Amino acid sequence: MKSLRIESSKSTPSVRFYPDSNVFEIKGESYPENAAGFYEPVLHWLSRWFKISDQHHMQLNFELVYYNSSSSKAIMNLFDLLEDAVQTGWPITVMWRFDNENEIIRESGEDFQMDYDGLDIRLVAISE
């Protein structure tokens, strides 16, 4: 299985998924014209990885500065996939990293914590 590397753009985050690792990263801003289209390869890659990986757990580092409502839906689809994997025995940790001064992203992380109680979502305040 090949790595999934997507470089960031003005409106899309970088994605760093390596099949021989169990730590993945999505970082940047997310407001693409077609969020479902942008995140579709991410969902597809993870679905395949869960089926063939010999890793025993997974960590996803999320560090978004901003995302729009269509990206929010795509993130929920991603978290649905992760929560399904948890139900099949995968221990998964989501590190929801946010700038100390970005209350909106912090509150979004808190909302995801409440909505996805099957996932271990940890809020991590960072300062630049």
Side-chain angles (χ1 to χ4, degrees):
M1 181 171 191
K2 293 184 179 182
S3 299
L4 177 64
R5 286 184 49 112
I6 301 172
E7 296 302 321
S8 65
S9 72
K10 179 182 173 203
S11 62
T12 60
S14 65
V15 176
R16 301 283 185 268
F17 289 5
Y18 301 101
D20 56 349
S21 176
N22 63 343
V23 179
F24 306 121
E25 177 184 88
I26 297 176
K27 182 177 181 178
E29 297 190 28
S30 185
Y31 55 97
E33 239 176 81
N34 179 0
F38 176 80
Y39 283 95
E40 189 276 328
V42 174
L43 295 170
H44 178 73
W45 192 95
L46 275 174
S47 292
R48 285 190 55 229
W49 185 80
F50 282 127
K51 291 176 185 169
I52 66 171
S53 177
D54 61 357
Q55 299 292 327
H56 300 289
H57 66 282
M58 177 206 168
Q59 177 176 313
L60 176 60
N61 296 328
F62 243 102
E63 189 174 331
L64 296 178
V65 177
Y66 169 81
Y67 63 93
N68 63 5
S69 58
S70 62
S71 291
S72 178
K73 174 63 176 149
I75 293 167
M76 287 188 288
N77 290 338
L78 175 59
F79 284 179
D80 287 343
L81 174 68
L82 297 179
E83 197 162 56
D84 288 346
V86 167
Q87 297 302 316
T88 65
W90 276 88
I92 296 175
T93 303
V94 175
M95 303 300 281
W96 186 266
R97 298 170 48 88
F98 61 94
D99 184 286
N100 240 355
E101 298 179 10
N102 193 334
E103 290 181 32
I104 293 171
I105 297 296
R106 178 185 50 79
E107 290 170 0
S108 295
E110 291 170 351
D111 290 342
F112 285 128
Q113 279 180 320
M114 288 186 293
D115 293 342
Y116 292 93
D117 58 355
L119 285 177
D120 179 10
I121 299 176
R122 300 178 186 182
L123 303 180
V124 181
I126 56 174
S127 56
E128 305 244 351

